[in-house]
Amino acid sequence: QRVHVLPQTVLYIADAETFSGHEECHEQKKARKRNSKETAIALEKLLPKRCQVLGLVTPGIVVTPMGSSSNQPQEIEEGEAGFALLFPKIDGVKIHTFHFSKDSKNRVFDESKFAEAGLKNNPDLRVVLLFGYNSWKSGATRFLHQIVNPLNEKSIILAGGQVESFTSLTSENNNAQPSDACGVVGLAFSGPQIQSATVLLDQDVADEKTAEAAMQRLKAANIPEHNTIGFMFACVGRGYRYYKTKRNMEADAFRKFFPNVPLFGFFGHGEIGCDRIVTGNFVLRECNDIKDDLLHGYTTVMTLIHLGSTK
């Protein structure tokens, strides 16, 4: 007897070349360029109608190939690549998508929208993955600050980065956003059993030794490693060029300390995160009234999300 587990939430990420590749056009007997909306529709037809979907397009991909979780994660900075994470219903865990778009008429963001999205007045909120899009637009950085700053609390993990675009149609009632709009999309993870930690690899981390030292800090958080996912959000300015042609440096360092935790993520245009460890309601680091600086460039953010014990 087969048991099928249907996804309730899907995060898929692909590089721009993959997402707008060529397809055969039989009527014209030649290949034509697909647009991202066509690709998104085709992908989402494969998923249950009630499934929440968030799709991102990025300059590069970090992925652990299918099969064993102990497979070696790969930093794919060039060439076509992509992945999809399918989250089923998990007891004690709620995962939901959200989207905030910049309103050209209002300079100040309406923070009541945070509560509507489950990002405020939610005592079980543990992790928020944030992705800014169209960061080149005027006012995009200021808008990102308006989203990140109110969420910058010691009791939750914030991590993510700037992507090229988002392609999910389900979060927008099948209405694609204007190509020149900018905003923030993301996933929120709520549940008392969730544990998480992040470390920031700043510009001083430029060789194998310092990269591994950052992973040791992440390991010291003692986040359970079963039923756990790793995320890597890196700047396009890092990777093998930054490490003087040595490829896969940071993914290899992660695997050395977390050999059974799959790693996913992307290379983007800016990073969101800091050194922070949250286990339940206990914050394992010295806290003060100074807000952490969460927006960076030329850095990498490594994040662990533990979804609780499996029965």
Side-chain angles (χ1 to χ4, degrees):
Q1 182 180 0
R2 292 184 178 181
V3 177
H4 296 276
V5 179
L6 294 177
Q8 288 202 333
T9 307
V10 174
L11 170 65
Y12 68 82
I13 303 179
D15 71 280
E17 187 176 352
T18 298
F19 217 77
S20 297
H22 289 86
E23 66 177 9
E24 192 73 24
C25 183
H26 296 293
E27 293 180 2
Q28 299 178 0
K29 301 294 183 182
K30 63 180 182 179
R32 70 176 182 87
K33 197 79 168 176
R34 293 194 308 265
N35 65 45
S36 59
K37 183 177 179 180
E38 289 175 325
T39 308
I41 290 172
L43 276 171
E44 291 173 18
K45 280 183 177 177
L46 302 174
L47 301 168
K49 287 186 177 180
R50 295 184 180 180
C51 186
Q52 297 184 103
V53 182
L54 176 58
L56 305 173
V57 176
T58 62
I61 298 295
V62 179
V63 62
T64 301
M66 287 178 62
S68 170
S69 61
S70 61
N71 282 348
Q72 180 159 344
Q74 301 292 321
E75 298 176 18
I76 305 175
E77 300 177 63
E78 299 165 348
E80 297 185 11
F83 66 85
L85 296 179
L86 283 67
F87 296 94
K89 182 179 180 180
I90 304 170
D91 290 340
V93 175
K94 181 180 180 182
I95 306 172
H96 69 269
T97 59
F98 60 86
H99 177 213
F100 304 124
S101 58
K102 183 176 179 293
D103 186 346
S104 58
K105 298 177 182 178
N106 298 313
R107 284 180 58 84
V108 179
F109 180 73
D110 180 4
E111 292 192 12
S112 67
K113 293 181 180 179
F114 286 131
E116 294 173 14
L119 301 179
K120 284 289 185 181
N121 304 321
N122 178 2
D124 288 334
L125 182 64
R126 293 291 181 269
V127 183
V128 180
L129 299 182
L130 295 160
F131 311 109
Y133 61 91
N134 285 350
S135 59
W136 53 271
K137 287 288 294 180
S138 175
T141 300
R142 181 176 181 274
F143 182 75
L144 181 59
H145 274 285
Q146 290 184 328
I147 301 301
V148 169
N149 290 347
L151 298 176
N152 188 1
E153 299 176 359
K154 305 295 184 183
S155 59
I156 63 174
I157 294 290
L158 293 180
Q162 299 271 22
V163 302
E164 291 193 358
S165 62
F166 89 98
T167 57
S168 168
L169 305 179
T170 57
S171 64
E172 292 305 305
N173 297 318
N174 294 328
N175 291 321
Q177 285 293 295
S179 60
D180 61 346
C182 63
V184 176
V185 293
L187 286 178
F189 295 76
S190 301
Q193 69 206 44
I194 295 173
Q195 298 183 40
S196 184
T198 61
V199 294
L200 176 71
L201 285 67
D202 61 21
Q203 295 181 47
D204 292 335
V205 178
D207 56 38
E208 189 172 9
K209 182 179 179 180
T210 52
E212 290 185 358
M215 300 309 154
Q216 284 181 308
R217 295 204 311 276
L218 192 59
K219 186 80 172 182
N222 289 321
I223 301 297
E225 294 175 25
H226 62 281
N227 205 22
T228 296
I229 305 170
F231 287 98
M232 173 178 163
F233 305 116
C235 179
V236 290
R238 290 182 76 87
Y240 72 89
R241 297 176 188 88
Y242 190 79
Y243 287 104
K244 298 179 174 59
T245 72
K246 186 174 177 66
R247 294 180 181 269
N248 229 60
M249 174 80 79
E250 293 175 346
D252 284 348
F254 178 89
R255 185 172 185 260
K256 180 176 180 178
F257 290 91
F258 302 97
N260 296 305
V261 176
L263 182 68
F264 301 93
F266 58 75
F267 290 89
H269 303 294
E271 302 77 60
I272 302 170
C274 65
D275 276 26
R276 185 176 293 177
I277 300 162
V278 176
T279 55
N281 291 320
F282 176 64
V283 183
L284 188 65
R285 62 180 281 261
E286 193 66 34
C287 293
N288 51 41
D289 294 331
I290 301 173
K291 294 280 190 178
D292 285 310
D293 183 11
L294 292 174
L295 303 183
H296 311 279
Y298 296 101
T299 65
T300 298
V301 175
M302 288 286 190
T303 305
L304 293 175
I305 303 177
H306 170 63
L307 298 173
S309 300
T310 53
K311 295 180 179 179

